[in-house]
Amino acid sequence: VGAESELMSGEAWRAFCRELEKAGEIVMQAQAAASPLDQAEGFRYLTRLLRVALEMNLEWSDPDFPGFYQASHQTAKIGADNPDNHYLNATVTSSRRYRIWGARGTVPILTFGSKANRYAIDGTMASTGGLAVENMTITADGTFDIIVSKDEPRGKVNWLPMADDTSLIVVRQTFRDRANETASQLQIETLDGPARPVPLTPEALISGLNRSIGFVGGTARTFYNWAEQFREEQKNLLATLDQTMFQRAGGDPAIYYLHGYWELGPDEALEIVSPIPDCQAWNFQLNNYWMESLDYRSHTIHVNDFSAKRDADGGVTVIVSARNPGRGNWLETAGHSHGTMLWRWTGAAEHPTPRCRVIKL
C-alpha cells in the first residue's frame, strides 16, 4: 500500500528528482574542476551515470531474466574505463544457476568475473569469482558454455563461481588491434528460473529508482575522491599504490594499476618513459578530472602494446601534450589542461613504475 500510494501521488518520482539534484553537488564542490569545460563534463558525467544506472536497475534488473548490457562504452564512462575494452554486465543472484554461451572470436583477452556490486552502498565492487579464456574448454568451432553458480557443478565444465552476495557478472574483452580483431558473441540465461517475468510493480519501480540514484551518487563520489587523492599525492607521476583500493572498486585481478594525475601548461608536456616487462598486454590512457577516458573516437588519447612505437632499447616513450612534439608516442590532451591517467600491466611478470617528468615543448 505504501509503494502504491507513493507512486500514485507522484511522491516517488519527486523524491527521485530531489535526490538526483543532490548529486550535482559533487560536481559543484570540485574546486580543482571549476572551469566551464570541467563543469560541463561533470554534469554530462552525471547524465551518463544515470543512463547506466537505469539500464542496470530498471531495464536489466531482474536476475531471473538477465541480459548483457554495456556499463562503459564510448559515451558512458566509469572509473578510468579502458578504451581497449568491450565491457559487458549482467545482473544475477546466487540463488540461481546460469548458463553463458557464445562464440570465442579473436579478441586476445577475455575474462569473466562475478562481483558483489556495492557501489550504491559503499562504493565497492568485490570480486567473488573469476574465469579467464585460457583456462576454459572451447570446442573446435570456437563455441563454449559456462556454468555460473554458487556450488561447483559436476563433471568437467567451464565454471564461474558466485558467493552469497554476488549480484553482477562483468565480462572484459581486451583488444590490441581493435580494427582487425573480432569480439566474442555472448548470451546468458537462467537455468532454474520462472518461465516469464511478472509485470512491473510499484515496489520494483521505486526500488529501481532508489538504486539508480544511489549508483549515480556513490559512483561519482568514489571517483571524485580518487581524483582528489591522485591530484594531491601523484601530480604528473604514476605511482605504485596499494592494489586493494582498485580491486575493491571492481578492478581485474590480472591487472596491476598505476594511476596518476596530470596537469600541464600550454607550453608543457609530460614525458613518460618505461621499460616493458614480459606481460600479456599493457596500455596507458588519459582521462578527464572525472576519471572518464578522453574522447578516443576523435583523438589519440591512449597507447598499447600493439600501437606503440618502441625506443631503441625496447622500452617506450609517451609524450602527453596539447600539440605534437614530433617524437615518442604522442597522446593528445584534447582541449584539457589536467585530468587523471592510468597505466595498466596485464598478466605481467614485473610491474615497473614509468619515469615521468614535465618538459617544455
Side-chain angles (χ1 to χ4, degrees):
V1 175
E4 287 186 10
S5 176
E6 286 185 52
L7 178 71
M8 300 304 290
S9 69
E11 177 54 29
W13 181 255
R14 287 191 292 271
F16 169 74
C17 292
R18 287 194 298 268
E19 291 303 310
L20 181 61
E21 181 182 14
K22 290 180 183 178
E25 297 172 3
I26 299 171
V27 174
M28 291 182 286
Q29 76 178 31
Q31 296 182 3
S35 73
L37 174 60
D38 289 325
Q39 291 287 290
E41 289 187 334
F43 287 115
R44 182 183 65 181
Y45 173 50
L46 295 182
T47 69
R48 289 173 164 182
L49 292 177
L50 181 59
R51 281 163 46 207
V52 171
L54 294 174
E55 280 283 293
M56 179 187 300
N57 295 302
L58 279 177
E59 305 301 342
W60 294 106
S61 62
D62 188 346
D64 285 339
F65 298 91
F68 284 116
Y69 62 91
Q70 287 188 266
S72 287
H73 50 82
Q74 291 180 333
T75 62
K77 306 182 176 199
I78 298 174
D81 57 291
N82 188 345
D84 288 328
N85 272 10
H86 181 77
Y87 296 94
L88 293 172
N89 286 14
T91 300
V92 295
T93 175
S94 63
S95 62
R96 297 290 187 202
R97 296 170 62 251
Y98 301 90
R99 171 182 172 242
I100 297 173
W101 76 99
R104 167 70 180 88
T106 63
V107 61
I109 300 174
L110 172 62
T111 62
F112 300 82
S114 66
K115 307 284 184 179
N117 183 3
R118 307 181 189 125
Y119 266 30
I121 300 170
D122 59 7
T124 68
M125 189 181 292
S127 293
T128 57
L131 180 65
V133 70
E134 54 266 29
N135 299 319
M136 290 167 47
T137 299
I138 299 176
T139 64
D141 65 357
T143 59
F144 60 86
D145 284 72
I146 300 171
I147 298 299
V148 186
S149 60
K150 191 169 67 169
D151 299 319
E152 185 172 2
R154 295 179 179 178
K156 186 175 175 57
V157 297
N158 299 315
W159 177 47
L160 176 61
M162 292 194 291
D164 286 338
D165 62 347
T166 296
S167 57
L168 188 68
I169 292 172
V170 176
V171 183
R172 285 182 172 91
Q173 302 186 52
T174 304
F175 297 85
R176 297 177 67 247
D177 179 15
R178 195 161 195 155
N180 296 301
E181 294 165 347
T182 305
S184 298
Q185 301 300 311
L186 303 173
Q187 297 185 69
I188 184 171
E189 65 178 353
T190 313
L191 294 176
D192 51 3
R196 286 183 173 82
V198 298
L200 182 66
T201 64
E203 290 83 2
L205 174 72
I206 293 172
S207 175
L209 291 176
N210 289 340
R211 292 197 309 272
S212 294
I213 202 63
F215 177 88
V216 172
T219 303
R221 178 72 61 186
T222 292
F223 294 113
Y224 162 75
N225 290 337
W226 281 27
E228 281 297 293
Q229 178 179 338
F230 301 152
R231 185 177 68 87
E232 293 173 4
E233 300 175 2
Q234 294 148 232
K235 187 174 292 186
N236 291 327
L237 59 87
L238 295 160
T240 302
L241 296 170
D242 180 4
Q243 295 295 296
T244 305
M245 172 178 170
F246 313 130
Q247 300 303 329
R248 278 171 50 85
D252 188 332
I255 298 176
Y256 193 89
Y257 298 90
L258 290 159
H259 284 275
Y261 190 93
W262 63 275
E263 185 171 331
L264 299 168
D267 62 339
E268 292 181 328
L270 181 62
E271 179 189 71
I272 305 170
V273 180
S274 182
I276 303 299
D278 181 28
C279 61
Q280 192 175 14
W282 67 267
N283 74 354
F284 172 74
Q285 69 183 71
L286 298 178
N287 313 309
N288 64 11
Y289 177 87
W290 310 107
M291 296 196 67
E292 299 178 296
S293 65
L294 297 186
D295 182 10
Y296 53 85
R297 295 176 296 175
S298 306
H299 301 277
T300 303
I301 63 89
H302 87 293
V303 63
N304 66 21
D305 56 314
F306 175 82
S307 63
K309 296 177 293 185
R310 292 291 189 98
D311 298 336
D313 63 0
V316 294
T317 298
V318 177
I319 307 291
V320 176
S321 59
R323 62 181 191 271
N324 194 337
R327 68 181 182 88
N329 296 277
W330 176 46
L331 299 187
E332 308 171 52
T333 54
H336 296 72
S337 61
H338 62 164
T340 61
M341 55 185 174
L342 171 58
W343 194 296
R344 293 177 181 86
W345 298 119
T346 302
E350 299 175 281
H351 309 116
T353 301
R355 176 177 57 83
C356 303
R357 65 173 182 145
V358 176
I359 59 175
K360 293 290 185 180
L361 285 171

